[in-house]
Amino acid sequence: MLRFALVGGAGTVVNTAALYVLHRLLGVPLVAASAVAVELAVVHNYVFNSRWTFGTRDLSVRRLGKFNVSMLAGLAVNVLVLWALVRGGVDLLPANLLAIGAALAVNYASSAVWVWGGTQGSSR
């Protein structure tokens, strides 16, 4: 779980940097920018979780698909929390960090149980 959290921390950096560039610098609407930023972080997290957290040798298109599908609930939580917080007056970057935190439990549970089949830390 520690590795998953560390990969998630790096994914948070990817997400936050992408969100800032897309929304603040390029003017992409907030919800679209957040969705793209989350997807970039999802791909990043899949690669690092597959190799480092769950110890798989090969990257699998099927597993990437499952990981991406499992992250949809996290995406929905992330985007909705971000939108609500920003509309409520919270600054973009702190709101984004809170939104990412809200999605963490859903993301870990679906990864550990469905995507990698509960083989946390195994060599599978």
Side-chain angles (χ1 to χ4, degrees):
M1 182 149 174
L2 178 59
R3 287 182 179 191
F4 189 86
L6 291 172
V7 170
T12 299
V13 173
V14 170
N15 176 293
T16 302
L19 179 66
Y20 184 84
V21 169
L22 290 168
H23 183 65
R24 288 268 171 92
L25 300 181
L26 299 178
V28 175
L30 178 63
V31 172
S34 178
V36 170
V38 168
E39 184 59 25
L40 289 172
V42 165
V43 172
H44 166 275
N45 289 358
Y46 167 74
V47 170
F48 284 90
N49 277 317
S50 189
R51 295 278 170 111
W52 190 52
T53 305
F54 296 101
T56 57
R57 293 177 192 233
D58 299 316
L59 297 176
S60 159
V61 173
R62 181 173 184 256
R63 189 174 285 126
L64 173 60
K66 287 173 71 173
F67 186 72
N68 216 333
V69 167
S70 74
M71 295 297 108
L72 289 175
L75 171 63
V77 168
N78 187 294
V79 171
L80 291 172
V81 169
L82 177 68
W83 177 82
L85 290 172
V86 169
R87 285 209 26 121
V90 177
D91 189 56
L92 177 67
L93 298 182
N96 188 53
L97 294 175
L98 291 169
I100 290 167
L104 178 63
V106 171
N107 291 343
Y108 180 74
S110 62
S111 292
V113 173
W114 185 53
V115 178
W116 283 278
T119 59
Q120 305 157 16
S122 79
S123 60
R124 186 180 117 174

